[in-house]
Amino acid sequence: FKARDLSGKQSLSSHFSLSRRHLEQMTSVGPRPVGSQENEVLTVSYLLEQIENIRVETSAGPHQLTVDVQRPTGSFSIDFLGGFTSFYDRVTNIAVRLEPKGGTQHLMLANCHFDTVANSPGASDDAVSCAVMLEVLHSLANLSTPLNHGVIFLFNGAEENILQASHGFITQHAWAKQVRAFINLEAAGVGGKEVVFQTGPENPWLVQAYVHAAKHPFASVVGQEVFQSGIIPSDTDFRIYRDFGNIPGIDLAFIENGFIYHTKYDTADRILTDSIQRAGDNILAVLKHLVMSEKLADSSEYRHGNMVFFDLLGVMVVAYPARVGTILNYVVAAATFLYLAKKASLPGNGGGRYVRDLAFATGVAVLSWFVTLLSVLIVALLVTLLGRSMFWYNHFYASICLYGTAATGKMILVHTLAKNLYYGLGDLYFDVSLLLWCCSLVWLSQQGLCSAYVPMLMVAFPLATRLLLDLHLFPGASVKYSILYLLGLALPYVHFMFLIWVVFEIFTPIMGRSGTEIPPEVVLASLVTLTTIFLSSFFLHFIYLVRSTKWILAGLGSVFLIMFLLVSSGVFFPYSGNPDSPRPKRVFLQHTTRTFHNLQGEVESQDSGLWINSFDYTGIQHVTPHIPEINDSVRTRCREDRPFCGYPWFLPVKFLSKKNWYLPASEVSPSSPVEFQLVSKEETSWGTIKMTFSAKGPSHMSLYLMPHHGASLSTWSFGDGTPQFDLSGEYFVFYSHGLDAPVWTFWFEIQVLDPDPSGPEGMISVALSSHYFFGADQRTAQLEEIIGRFPKWAFPSSWVSTYDMYRY
């Protein structure tokens, strides 16, 4: 990742300073929500200035550089967070086209986003990617050899608004039709290594290009399948390019230190220069490889299945086609079953006794799993009931000492009892582990999951080692035998432990933003227990070889008991405000005014308050001692007769955070209040009621539609015209705009199934919430006062909002 200094020599140090300077300049303006001056003017101006400098500097070279500032308007529906519809108006894209002079037919796309969530400077998410992209653009434009194909560098100004700007580019921009593949640069953490966690769909040549070209490859197909399963409440522009552009791509993201992702701590100084250099090396090399590749010209020709790819300790990436992986998986499974069948076919009564003993030992192993998991979950339940949830959030080792010792101790206890009851099982547990891993291998392969390579490794290497040892190369040499046995397990175990590290690196911080309904103790206790079960599989027979396990059990029990007492007494506080290693508690506060209208358009009721959401399981139990008025006496209840419970949800996540608090406060009076009105209401010739509305307000608004009993939405002006994602009888429409957006006009049609749909309640409830994420309207004196009282270990993200409901 190199730049030239004034003498014309290659210089790495200048590149460090340039990338960091871009990062610091972009983050210096503060948070950059869509619609703000910081996002739409200051950052756009800075990017355009840097791009123009590159254009002027490289104008004499073999490439031409074209810049287009796009401000698209559109709408779409997306299956995310339960599903909702999105409408955007004049959001910003900066598209930079780099190509050989004379033009090109085929383009590669590199995407980053420069907007942020409210109240976060967004250094890692995603200013650092844009800083890197600027320097990659600079490096490619300076090449003396013309590129075979072109590259579009898309500096995307509305990703945090749930992927709006990328949709505007790929569905509306004239250059989009020439894009054959893409690289998306994202973040789920702050700094560290960037990991390839999604590829495709299909198009294995893209993975091969990354493996071949990347200077510091780091990739995992397990991450891809976990992410695409929906377990992680997040998404990236990858989905938009894949689903709406029908083009393949590579998704990269920083994953380390997700504790401060989307918080005020996501600052430029926390991103190491090494991380910037590493990302730059990789992206430059991969992009250069792809734009020189003949495969980019007709990527569809190479669309044939998925790839199995995985990282070996950050040193190299192994990749092979999924169809090859399937064959390999079944070959390993067949070899395992042949190995077991040979033992089951021993002459005389030997084979029958082996099958019987193997079945019994397998039953003991599976029973030990369930007993262990149940026991550890009971401990997790006790911790939860004691009000000590997330004690490990700032002290991860404590979870290993508590749940890990409980799991290990219970496994050893169950097998010790089995040993005392039926001593002859010990030698069978290697075969039991082979059988169980092989069953998981076959099942995952039948499901078509590339992650089946994990049990394949956990079967192939131990089986090969056992067959080698059965040759009796080391008769009587128990030490050499043990060393060879451990060496045979080394590669799969080391890789598996590396995967486990990645899982905990991702999931531990996610528990701090997964809402109030998912018990984090259950999640973490389950992960620790499953880790213990998997890692112990080929070592179970050692329990049967030792003379006694009582001292091991006594040691584990002592550690568990001490740790349980420490956790119960509250020694381990979940959060930290330490600026060197913050573990903040996320709290969302909205100073809001709610107004409810009846069928006649009259104000039925109105109130104002501070609406408080905790985005982790502990709620406000740790906040109440610092701010006594925020307590369970002001806990809210969902009003089912009001759209989205009658509260101004920014996104449709009420299912994640059902515990909310509402503290009475003074009325808010933003300088630009929402203007909302019914423009027309008419009956169509096909028997529906068409209602047209107009709305003008801040850059972020949310529309909620709740048809009443006897009525349903038949069509509307959003997306493809068909109302989608009915969330328990409600529809959510997310709206945002950039600068100088016109009045938002929309319509929908209601099909009345009942002559008197809901009696006095009418056909439908319509509510509109507004969100003031920046500027003078973002704060009120009362909001500032209560934010100032939060402890330093909390991150209160706050803004002003309104909620207006109408019945028709």
Side-chain angles (χ1 to χ4, degrees):
F1 192 38
K2 300 175 182 178
R4 293 188 178 275
D5 62 18
L6 295 177
S7 66
K9 298 179 180 179
Q10 295 291 341
S11 169
L12 286 175
S13 59
S14 63
H15 216 81
F16 290 149
S17 60
L18 281 174
S19 295
R20 183 158 293 283
R21 181 168 63 83
H22 294 321
L23 174 61
E24 290 172 351
Q25 285 292 325
M26 281 188 281
T27 56
S28 66
V29 301
R32 304 176 296 282
V34 170
S36 66
Q37 285 286 118
E38 291 79 4
N39 192 66
E40 311 297 334
V41 177
L42 299 179
T43 305
V44 168
S45 297
Y46 178 77
L47 290 170
L48 290 175
E49 178 187 353
Q50 299 308 308
I51 293 163
E52 177 62 16
N53 291 341
I54 295 171
R55 190 191 67 79
V56 171
E57 178 188 337
T58 61
S59 59
H63 301 106
Q64 61 186 25
L65 193 150
T66 311
V67 183
D68 183 55
V69 178
Q70 181 200 25
R71 292 196 166 87
T73 296
S75 67
F76 61 96
S77 295
I78 184 170
D79 182 14
F80 175 58
L81 298 175
F84 64 96
T85 298
S86 183
F87 185 97
Y88 54 90
D89 200 349
R90 291 184 58 78
V91 296
T92 303
N93 279 320
I94 301 175
V96 185
R97 179 169 176 153
L98 176 69
E99 60 188 334
K101 285 181 176 176
T104 184
Q105 292 294 313
H106 311 291
L107 299 171
M108 186 74 195
L109 172 67
N111 178 81
C112 71
H113 71 89
F114 56 84
D115 67 310
T116 70
V117 295
N119 303 302
S120 174
S124 71
D125 188 25
D126 192 29
V128 67
S129 296
C130 292
V132 166
M133 265 182 40
L134 278 173
E135 291 310 309
V136 170
L137 169 61
H138 182 262
S139 296
L140 288 178
N142 269 303
L143 288 176
S144 57
T145 304
L147 303 172
N148 287 348
H149 309 292
V151 190
I152 296 174
F153 292 87
L154 183 64
F155 297 88
N156 165 335
E159 189 272 348
E160 296 296 355
N161 283 9
I162 317 301
L163 323 178
Q164 291 179 331
S166 56
H167 182 270
F169 174 81
I170 205 63
T171 60
Q172 299 177 42
H173 201 284
W175 297 345
K177 293 182 176 62
Q178 294 175 263
V179 174
R180 303 292 179 254
F182 69 91
I183 293 179
N184 183 49
L185 313 180
E186 256 296 350
V190 178
K193 298 178 179 180
E194 80 290 350
V195 60
V196 171
F197 67 102
Q198 287 192 99
T199 65
E202 301 180 328
N203 288 272
W205 65 277
L206 272 175
V207 179
Q208 291 165 340
Y210 174 82
V211 172
H212 174 80
K215 304 297 184 185
H216 317 282
F218 185 33
S220 173
V221 74
V222 175
Q224 171 174 293
E225 293 181 342
V226 168
F227 188 85
Q228 293 181 351
S229 71
I231 294 174
I232 299 175
S234 184
D235 218 329
T236 74
D237 286 318
F238 181 96
R239 171 196 283 260
I240 298 296
Y241 298 131
R242 179 194 66 194
D243 295 352
F244 292 92
N246 195 31
I247 53 176
I250 299 174
D251 213 1
L252 300 101
F254 296 103
I255 62 169
E256 291 185 19
N257 200 7
F259 298 99
I260 57 179
Y261 165 78
H262 278 191
T263 72
K264 65 182 180 181
Y265 299 105
D266 184 8
T267 52
D269 60 293
R270 295 184 187 277
I271 301 177
L272 299 178
T273 299
D274 285 349
S275 293
I276 299 173
Q277 181 69 51
R278 175 195 162 87
D281 285 344
N282 283 339
I283 295 158
L284 175 60
V286 173
L287 266 180
K288 185 177 177 181
H289 177 85
L290 288 169
V291 294
M292 291 296 190
S293 170
E294 295 300 325
K295 293 181 178 180
L296 187 68
D298 188 8
S299 60
S300 60
E301 183 180 337
Y302 304 96
R303 186 172 186 140
H304 52 83
N306 292 315
M307 287 286 285
V308 178
F309 57 92
F310 54 92
D311 188 82
L312 291 179
L313 300 179
V315 177
M316 62 178 294
V317 172
V318 177
Y320 49 86
R323 62 182 184 278
V324 173
T326 300
I327 295 170
L328 182 61
N329 294 345
Y330 284 121
V331 167
V332 170
T336 303
F337 288 126
L338 283 174
Y339 167 80
L340 297 175
K342 182 180 178 181
K343 290 191 173 185
S345 59
L346 291 173
N349 196 35
R353 186 168 59 250
Y354 172 80
V355 171
R356 184 179 65 249
D357 290 348
L358 182 66
F360 185 82
T362 302
V364 171
V366 173
L367 177 64
S368 71
W369 294 357
F370 284 108
V371 171
T372 299
L373 184 58
L374 181 62
S375 301
V376 178
L377 288 179
I378 290 172
V379 175
L381 179 61
L382 288 174
V383 171
T384 302
L385 293 175
L386 289 169
R388 303 303 180 190
S389 283
M390 297 182 65
F391 67 91
W392 37 263
Y393 196 65
N394 190 38
H395 312 275
F396 183 73
Y397 67 89
S399 67
I400 303 301
C401 292
L402 184 70
Y403 299 131
T405 55
T408 305
K410 183 59 70 172
M411 287 277 289
I412 292 174
L413 179 60
V414 172
H415 284 283
T416 299
L417 293 174
K419 169 186 173 181
N420 293 335
L421 292 173
Y422 197 48
Y423 184 78
L425 291 178
D427 290 339
L428 284 170
Y429 277 101
F430 179 89
D431 294 352
V432 168
S433 297
L434 272 183
L435 176 62
L436 293 173
W437 276 111
C438 192
C439 289
S440 68
L441 168 62
V442 171
W443 183 80
L444 289 174
S445 299
Q446 287 181 335
Q447 299 301 310
L449 295 174
C450 296
S451 301
Y453 86 86
V454 176
M456 185 274 292
L457 293 178
M458 296 296 286
V459 171
F461 281 84
L463 177 60
T465 302
R466 188 56 178 261
L467 292 175
L468 183 62
L469 291 173
D470 284 347
L471 297 176
H472 302 294
L473 298 177
F474 305 104
S478 59
V479 174
K480 292 182 179 179
Y481 185 99
S482 299
I483 291 173
L484 187 58
Y485 179 77
L486 293 175
L487 286 176
L489 297 179
L491 189 145
Y493 264 77
V494 168
H495 175 68
F496 192 68
M497 292 174 71
F498 181 67
L499 273 181
I500 290 168
W501 169 80
V502 173
V503 167
F504 282 111
E505 184 75 33
I506 294 172
F507 277 94
T508 305
I510 281 177
M511 290 296 99
R513 58 180 191 268
S514 59
T516 60
E517 306 309 301
I518 301 173
E521 298 310 307
V522 171
V523 174
L524 198 74
S526 298
L527 287 175
V528 171
T529 303
L530 291 174
T531 298
T532 304
I533 289 170
F534 293 152
L535 291 179
S536 68
S537 55
F538 285 104
F539 295 96
L540 289 176
H541 61 283
F542 285 109
I543 298 172
Y544 295 80
L545 297 178
V546 298
R547 187 170 300 174
S548 173
T549 60
K550 64 180 181 179
W551 291 111
I552 299 174
L553 289 172
L556 290 170
S558 299
V559 173
F560 168 77
L561 185 60
I562 293 170
M563 188 57 60
F564 186 77
L565 291 174
L566 292 174
V567 169
S568 302
S569 61
V571 169
F572 300 103
F573 189 69
Y575 312 106
S576 170
N578 180 356
D580 294 328
S581 181
R583 297 290 187 271
K585 175 181 175 58
R586 299 164 189 259
V587 183
F588 292 83
L589 294 93
Q590 297 181 46
H591 190 175
T592 187
T593 292
R594 306 186 303 162
T595 307
F596 304 92
H597 298 80
N598 59 21
L599 268 176
Q600 290 71 43
E602 300 165 342
V603 175
E604 190 174 63
S605 65
Q606 185 179 62
D607 61 47
S608 299
L610 297 173
W611 186 46
I612 302 161
N613 306 113
S614 167
F615 262 72
D616 69 36
Y617 191 80
T618 65
I620 46 88
Q621 71 178 80
H622 299 297
V623 174
T624 301
H626 298 267
I627 312 175
E629 57 267 42
I630 303 179
N631 56 63
D632 282 339
S633 68
V634 294
R635 174 98 172 263
T636 65
R637 294 291 180 267
C638 180
R639 286 285 301 269
E640 300 291 347
D641 61 328
R642 295 173 175 174
F644 277 79
C645 302
Y647 286 97
W649 288 99
F650 170 59
L651 287 171
V653 292
K654 67 174 186 176
F655 66 96
L656 282 177
S657 185
K658 294 182 179 179
K659 301 180 183 70
N660 307 284
W661 295 263
Y662 193 64
L663 187 65
S666 59
E667 183 177 353
V668 300
S669 52
S671 59
S672 302
V674 171
E675 300 171 16
F676 181 72
Q677 64 177 339
L678 173 64
V679 176
S680 65
K681 177 181 177 182
E682 57 184 337
E683 185 172 350
T684 66
S685 58
W686 45 89
T688 62
I689 305 296
K690 181 177 181 179
M691 305 180 73
T692 303
F693 296 84
S694 68
K696 187 169 181 62
S699 61
H700 294 77
M701 295 188 285
S702 300
L703 174 69
Y704 323 117
L705 304 176
M706 186 173 74
H708 297 166
H709 177 71
S712 63
L713 289 182
S714 59
T715 186
W716 60 10
S717 57
F718 306 118
D720 63 2
T722 302
Q724 295 187 46
F725 305 119
D726 175 353
L727 303 171
S728 303
E730 299 172 305
Y731 297 87
F732 188 100
V733 181
F734 178 90
Y735 168 87
S736 76
H737 70 69
L739 297 178
D740 306 320
V743 173
W744 180 29
T745 302
F746 60 90
W747 57 264
F748 53 79
E749 292 183 17
I750 304 173
Q751 180 72 53
V752 180
L753 306 177
D754 190 324
D756 185 19
S758 288
E761 296 300 320
M763 298 179 297
I764 189 170
S765 291
V766 178
L768 186 73
S769 68
S770 63
H771 302 270
Y772 297 86
F773 283 148
F774 52 84
D777 287 338
Q778 184 186 2
R779 295 281 185 259
T780 64
Q782 198 162 357
L783 197 55
E784 293 283 6
E785 189 274 334
I786 203 161
I787 289 172
R789 295 165 60 194
F790 271 84
K792 66 178 183 178
W793 43 260
F795 170 59
S797 183
S798 59
W799 63 91
V800 166
S801 65
T802 63
Y803 178 101
D804 294 278
M805 190 202 79
Y806 303 84
R807 297 192 190 274
Y808 300 99

